[in-house]
Amino acid sequence: MKKLCILLIFPFFTFNIVAQNEFSIYKDSFIEQLWSLYPSWASNSGYYKYNYKLNIPDEVNRKEQLVFSENQLAILNTISIDQLTLADKTDFFLIRDFLKNIPWELNELKEYEWNPSIYNVNGDFSYLLNTEYAPLEDRLRTINEKMKYVAAYFEAAKSNIKNPTIEHTKLAIEQNKNSVDVFSDDIPKAVELANLTKEEKIAILENATACKKSVLSFVTFLEKMPNLHPRDFRLGKELYVTKFSQQIQSEYNSDELFYMALNRKKYLHEQMFHYTQVLWKDYFTNKAIPKDTIVAIRMMIDTLSAKHIKAEDFQTSIEKHIPLLVDFINNKNLIYLDPSKPLEVRKEPAYMAGVAGASISSPGPYDKESKTYYNVGSIEGWPKDKQESYLREYNNYILQILDIHEAIPGHYTQGIYANQSPSIIKTILGNGAMIEGWAVYSELMMLENGYGNNSPEMWLMYYKWNLRSTCNTILDIGVHTQNMSKEDALDLLTRQAFQQKAEAEGKWNRVQLSNVQLCSYFSGFKEIIDLREAYKKEQGAAYSVKTFNEEFLSYGSIPVKYIKQLMLNKQK
Ligand code: ZN
Ligand code: ZN
């Protein structure tokens, strides 16, 4: 009897397994070809086979990418999705969406023509020099191989560029000027320390000198190029709408998200004024509260921002804070934290310096067991007024929220869960809006559960922080699709979002140089909050925030709209 059952079930199962095996073989070949076509991306993901390669960004290479997209999509068309597991289905969608995007980027967006700042080899060479994936000698030999492509790389760049934007041209000049150090200082220093033959050393140094020349010739080319009809840095509505849908992969379009962000801003202002009223007497005893709510909120924020740490304590205060976050989460039972996965707070390594105040370096898909680093930039060398402004921005309240966002249960925790899902596809084609959205959601989730003892100060500062990601969306869509002026942008950021002038100017620079990415924070946040509401309703009495958090993260870094399909209506 038992045997018969097995026989009956067997054909059904084999079918399924064949489909899965086929798909898993397909994925392996897809990834191998992907890495060979995008060697820098491969290196950065911890796949080192193509470290020696540097793509020449010419017509031939663009053709290769188009053929890759076409061929791979044709193969995908032969796979029947119905027979795949849920996890494979989402991999399938991620690959398909990625491949569909390639022709659009090359034929419509054409960033290779108007954005000279995409031409920069500093990251590639610094990465090989600073990542100890192999002995220094081997890495220098690989660097030497790779340096042979640099001249052709910049020649192709020069012939690609047509009517570039003034802003990206300026950035390209600055960044490339700064990047010559890797060839004139860093590589020669490493050569000195390395155990190589005299001939090898001479060859590497000669190639490094040639690379430096190529970089500088690109800089001169940009400086001298007549650019009579520069492209507007504003992407324009048509391109923006498509890029938004492909990159954010939200169930909303950019117009819908824009109005949701405006509503959120209104809500946040109401909340902030409420807490300002609650706190007013404690801080301004006899002073009447201003009629203009924005002015009142600003006064309260300025007062609370004075509570901040000293510049030299920045890193130690983060180090002390991390275990407190772990305790809080465990006590409140908010999400399982794997104690065997270390998080190390470290001073930002020199080659990253100046990029950001704090960031997370997560282990890549090929070295899941290695440490996660919380990189903290030192501000000790800064001028006093700049230091003060930064410390007021990252005051005692905001600094705690920053740790939640970057580390626990934000980016660090999400990264650990993502690495548990055995899909390399989800790790390499991960969705930025889901990743940022989770970090932004985790801040609110902590406060809702009593983090900061529900103090009005903490809530007020939290809302100010949340207003930042909300206004990032208003700014990005406004500037790139609605011609928002610099004046209006600065008013939005400084007056309506209570930011320091320096911070707002920095954001204005960023929105001139990037597009769409600034929407990822609010977009992901909004969709996660909505999904949690729907999930709560569906679960009824069985709902717990821990179950939601853990299940949500278990699918890996895929667009929230796909997670929604997997989490809701499971019975159906
Ligand atoms: Zn101060
Ligand atoms: Zn983030």
Side-chain angles (χ1 to χ4, degrees):
M1 194 59 204
K2 221 174 184 181
K3 207 165 189 178
L4 188 65
C5 281
I6 290 169
L7 279 172
L8 276 173
I9 294 165
F10 195 61
F12 170 73
F13 264 107
T14 29
F15 217 49
N16 222 332
I17 287 166
V18 167
Q20 277 170 47
N21 277 342
E22 237 173 57
F23 189 58
S24 119
I25 292 166
Y26 165 74
K27 281 196 283 190
D28 289 345
S29 87
F30 164 79
I31 290 169
E32 187 58 31
Q33 290 184 56
L34 181 78
W35 290 153
S36 130
L37 199 51
Y38 301 98
S40 305
W41 188 7
S43 306
N44 278 299
S45 306
Y47 190 81
Y48 299 127
K49 187 171 157 189
Y50 300 109
N51 279 356
Y52 69 93
K53 245 177 115 177
L54 180 68
N55 272 347
I56 311 302
D58 57 10
E59 202 50 49
V60 176
N61 176 265
R62 287 192 285 277
K63 183 87 195 144
E64 265 173 28
Q65 294 182 59
L66 292 172
V67 169
F68 171 70
S69 159
E70 208 176 298
N71 290 347
Q72 297 291 317
L73 280 170
I75 303 173
L76 278 186
N77 268 336
T78 67
I79 295 171
S80 47
I81 321 172
D82 299 344
Q83 294 179 5
L84 299 177
T85 61
L86 282 181
D88 276 345
K89 266 182 201 162
T90 49
D91 280 1
F92 181 98
F93 292 139
L94 288 176
I95 297 173
R96 188 198 57 191
D97 296 349
F98 166 76
L99 292 168
K100 280 187 173 172
N101 193 27
I102 293 176
W104 183 81
E105 283 205 355
L106 295 176
N107 299 330
E108 309 294 326
L109 186 63
K110 291 189 171 187
E111 205 168 349
Y112 62 89
E113 287 186 353
W114 54 263
N115 180 1
S117 75
I118 61 172
Y119 303 112
N120 192 318
V121 295
N122 184 33
D124 270 32
F125 285 98
S126 295
Y127 184 85
L128 294 187
L129 201 58
N130 293 298
T131 311
E132 291 173 4
Y133 68 92
L136 178 62
E137 289 72 21
D138 291 354
R139 285 184 282 135
L140 282 169
R141 288 185 193 111
T142 306
I143 284 173
N144 197 30
E145 259 320 282
K146 200 180 183 105
M147 285 197 294
K148 291 172 186 160
Y149 297 94
V150 170
Y153 174 95
F154 282 110
E155 285 315 308
K158 286 178 197 169
S159 59
N160 284 342
I161 290 170
K162 280 187 202 98
N163 310 323
T165 81
I166 292 169
E167 294 75 13
H168 292 100
T169 307
K170 214 176 125 211
L171 179 71
I173 291 170
E174 254 168 52
Q175 289 187 332
N176 273 293
K177 266 187 187 164
N178 290 336
S179 81
V180 293
D181 283 3
V182 73
F183 297 116
S184 56
D185 294 348
D186 304 345
I187 291 175
K189 266 182 210 153
V191 165
E192 219 168 285
L193 296 172
N195 188 14
L196 296 167
T197 67
K198 210 177 157 197
E199 289 72 30
E200 278 181 311
K201 288 190 178 189
I202 291 171
I204 296 175
L205 292 178
E206 274 176 10
N207 282 328
T209 309
C211 285
K212 184 186 163 182
K213 268 191 196 143
S214 298
V215 176
L216 291 178
S217 93
F218 182 59
V219 169
T220 313
F221 167 82
L222 293 175
E223 283 171 340
K224 300 222 163 125
M225 176 189 53
N227 190 8
L228 299 174
H229 306 286
R231 190 199 191 282
D232 189 348
F233 72 84
R234 298 170 202 274
L235 200 55
K237 178 120 187 187
E238 213 188 310
L239 289 175
Y240 190 94
V241 166
T242 310
K243 186 170 175 183
F244 179 93
S245 74
Q246 288 174 344
Q247 213 171 77
I248 299 289
Q249 297 191 278
S250 161
E251 61 178 313
Y252 306 116
N253 65 37
S254 51
D255 281 338
E256 288 166 335
L257 192 73
F258 183 77
Y259 290 105
M260 288 171 183
L262 286 182
N263 281 336
R264 177 81 185 164
K265 180 173 71 133
K266 190 167 166 277
Y267 167 81
L268 291 172
H269 278 163
E270 286 161 8
Q271 291 298 311
M272 290 174 87
F273 186 61
H274 164 74
Y275 285 113
T276 298
Q277 283 175 307
V278 169
L279 288 167
W280 192 262
K281 277 230 153 10
D282 295 347
Y283 290 87
F284 296 99
T285 347
N286 294 320
K287 210 172 190 167
I289 188 161
K291 288 233 162 49
D292 184 334
T293 55
I294 296 286
V295 173
I297 296 169
R298 165 119 244 164
M299 284 173 73
M300 187 52 76
I301 284 174
D302 281 348
T303 306
L304 295 179
S305 300
K307 298 185 189 177
H308 63 74
I309 54 164
K310 293 190 207 120
E312 62 267 32
D313 296 336
F314 209 75
Q315 188 175 331
T316 43
S317 77
I318 290 177
E319 276 162 3
K320 280 183 203 149
H321 188 218
I322 300 297
L324 301 179
L325 289 173
V326 174
D327 287 348
F328 180 84
I329 289 165
N330 289 338
N331 288 339
K332 296 275 178 170
N333 212 16
L334 299 179
I335 183 170
Y336 171 73
L337 301 172
D338 185 345
S340 73
K341 298 280 189 288
L343 170 68
E344 190 177 309
V345 182
R346 68 171 177 187
K347 187 172 185 279
E348 182 179 73
Y351 72 95
M352 290 169 86
V355 179
S359 66
I360 284 285
S361 299
S362 291
Y366 294 100
D367 58 348
K368 290 179 188 178
E369 294 313 313
S370 71
K371 269 185 205 163
T372 306
Y373 292 103
Y374 189 160
N375 310 303
V376 184
S378 169
I379 58 163
E380 283 187 69
W382 289 14
K384 279 276 168 281
D385 54 335
K386 195 177 163 197
Q387 225 176 45
E388 174 67 13
S389 160
Y390 188 84
L391 290 168
R392 288 178 65 92
E393 185 64 34
Y394 292 97
N395 53 61
N396 291 356
Y397 308 98
I398 302 283
L399 193 55
Q400 296 181 59
I401 301 170
L402 179 73
D403 289 338
I404 292 173
H405 178 106
E406 294 294 339
I408 295 173
H411 289 316
Y412 155 78
T413 304
Q414 192 267 327
I416 299 293
Y417 272 83
N419 268 343
Q420 275 167 11
S421 81
S423 159
I424 214 159
I425 297 292
K426 290 185 180 64
T427 319
I428 59 182
L429 299 179
N431 176 256
M434 181 274 178
I435 294 171
E436 284 306 340
W438 169 264
V440 176
Y441 157 76
S442 75
E443 302 156 3
L444 177 62
M445 191 270 295
M446 290 287 276
L447 262 76
E448 283 171 341
N449 285 284
Y451 184 82
N453 298 318
N454 276 315
S455 82
E457 286 93 341
M458 193 68 185
W459 273 108
L460 177 63
M461 285 311 224
Y462 163 75
Y463 284 130
K464 187 216 169 201
W465 175 261
N466 190 251
L467 189 57
R468 176 150 110 174
S469 55
T470 308
C471 286
N472 281 345
T473 289
I474 300 172
L475 177 75
D476 202 68
I477 300 175
V479 165
H480 288 289
T481 75
Q482 300 166 18
N483 236 353
M484 182 191 270
S485 68
K486 179 177 180 182
E487 200 190 352
D488 287 348
L490 292 180
D491 179 76
L492 171 75
L493 299 173
T494 56
R495 196 179 58 83
Q496 301 176 57
F498 313 101
Q499 295 174 8
Q500 303 283 330
K501 195 157 182 286
E503 195 198 341
E505 297 269 1
K507 191 55 67 65
W508 171 250
N509 283 337
R510 181 166 160 192
V511 78
Q512 288 178 289
L513 298 169
S514 79
N515 41 63
V516 177
Q517 195 273 337
L518 277 172
C519 296
S520 55
Y521 307 85
F522 176 69
S523 158
F525 168 73
K526 170 78 180 139
E527 287 193 83
I528 296 173
I529 295 292
D530 290 352
L531 169 57
R532 194 179 64 170
E533 272 320 299
Y535 180 83
K536 216 183 234 174
K537 240 183 219 159
E538 199 178 85
Q539 296 281 310
Y543 168 82
S544 89
V545 69
K546 184 171 190 278
T547 322
F548 172 80
N549 290 339
E550 290 170 0
E551 189 180 345
F552 180 82
L553 290 186
S554 73
Y555 298 105
S557 313
I558 61 172
V560 180
K561 65 177 177 187
Y562 293 147
I563 302 182
K564 184 177 172 184
Q565 288 173 19
L566 299 172
M567 276 183 91
L568 298 182
N569 301 314
K570 268 205 220 133
Q571 297 87 329
K572 286 177 195 167

